[in-house]
Amino acid sequence: LESLQSNLKRFRQIQDQIKDIEIKYSRSNKNLFYYKYWAEKFPQIKLGLIDSFIPQMESIANDILNSFSPIRIELSTVMEKQSGGLMDRFRIVVYEGKYVREWENWSGGEKKQVAIAICLSMNTTLWNMGFGLDFILMDEVFADIDIEKRPKVLDYLVKSGRNVFVISHTDINPSLFDRVITIKKSDGISKVDG
């Protein structure tokens, strides 16, 4: 009976956390709606906003990459001619040392490291501007990353100062997290485990 009460208490805590996340998600959706409105009506504003925070984002992404990889990136925006007019595009150049290496030649894990750094730098940049979320949700982030690099990436996430939610089928050190929720499937039913 105590075990059931304990599980019920944990379940209710998780429900409360999910409700908080849903509220934050709803607020973010409203902000996104307004951003999309202004970006569609005044496309120059969107490009100007992006250009204004690219240097900060690039610097943060490279600091992140330096903590676990020799890779370095350069970010910019470019205007491309598309059918129907001009379109702005986010440009990422990836360096290894002084040399640019073609994207097709990077391994899945190296591509994932760049993606993690860019996502975290976007989150941090927005956070610094007062728009970011106070949590980071990462699904299967370690799937392609070398085992020896996983602790470094996790260490960076933990030190980010945000609530970090990691969904993983990969072995990661649970002692790096304040709380671990394990879900196991038994007889076709998913259950929260211990």
Side-chain angles (χ1 to χ4, degrees):
L1 183 62
E2 284 181 29
S3 175
L4 285 174
Q5 289 175 330
S6 174
N7 284 339
L8 182 60
K9 183 178 177 181
R10 274 196 326 221
F11 177 75
R12 288 189 176 137
Q13 289 171 339
I14 292 168
Q15 276 184 320
D16 290 342
Q17 290 171 346
I18 290 171
K19 285 179 187 173
D20 289 342
I21 291 169
E22 286 173 340
I23 289 168
K24 290 174 184 176
Y25 176 77
S26 175
R27 285 185 199 142
S28 294
N29 266 349
K30 283 182 184 177
N31 289 340
L32 181 61
F33 169 79
Y34 292 119
Y35 172 77
K36 283 182 178 179
Y37 169 80
W38 285 103
E40 288 171 9
K41 302 295 182 199
F42 305 96
Q44 305 86 341
I45 291 175
K46 180 171 79 171
L47 191 56
L49 283 172
I50 292 170
D51 282 341
S52 71
F53 65 77
I54 280 183
Q56 179 184 5
M57 206 170 92
E58 180 181 303
S59 174
I60 293 167
N62 283 318
D63 286 346
I64 293 166
L65 284 168
N66 280 338
S67 69
F68 55 80
S69 175
I71 299 169
R72 171 175 81 71
I73 63 171
E74 190 176 282
L75 304 174
S76 62
T77 56
V78 292
M79 294 296 281
E80 287 186 346
K81 199 167 203 167
Q82 300 277 326
S83 60
L86 291 175
M87 181 176 180
D88 56 20
R89 196 185 85 167
F90 196 58
R91 183 171 173 258
I92 304 166
V93 179
V94 185
Y95 292 90
E96 186 173 36
K98 298 187 298 185
Y99 304 101
V100 174
R101 202 164 105 202
E102 294 301 317
W103 188 248
E104 301 82 45
N105 297 330
W106 292 89
S107 72
E110 289 170 323
K111 289 178 181 179
K112 184 79 69 105
Q113 291 170 48
V114 170
I116 290 168
I118 290 172
C119 288
L120 292 175
S121 70
M122 283 180 177
N123 183 282
T124 301
T125 301
L126 290 171
W127 176 263
N128 292 342
M129 295 168 63
F131 298 110
L133 300 172
D134 64 349
F135 68 91
I136 299 169
L137 175 62
M138 302 191 106
D139 187 10
E140 287 304 317
V141 71
F142 300 107
D144 295 321
I145 295 180
D146 298 337
I147 291 172
E148 57 275 358
K149 287 194 178 156
R150 289 179 193 162
K152 292 177 183 178
V153 175
L154 274 172
D155 186 54
Y156 184 86
L157 290 171
V158 169
K159 289 179 180 175
S160 73
R162 294 195 201 46
N163 297 308
V164 179
F165 297 88
V166 176
I167 300 167
S168 181
H169 297 278
T170 313
D171 289 335
I172 35 181
N173 184 352
S175 68
L176 292 169
F177 297 95
D178 294 333
R179 183 165 187 194
V180 176
I181 299 170
T182 305
I183 299 174
K184 292 190 176 184
K185 199 169 211 170
S186 175
D187 299 325
I189 298 172
S190 297
K191 297 179 182 178
V192 175
D193 185 39

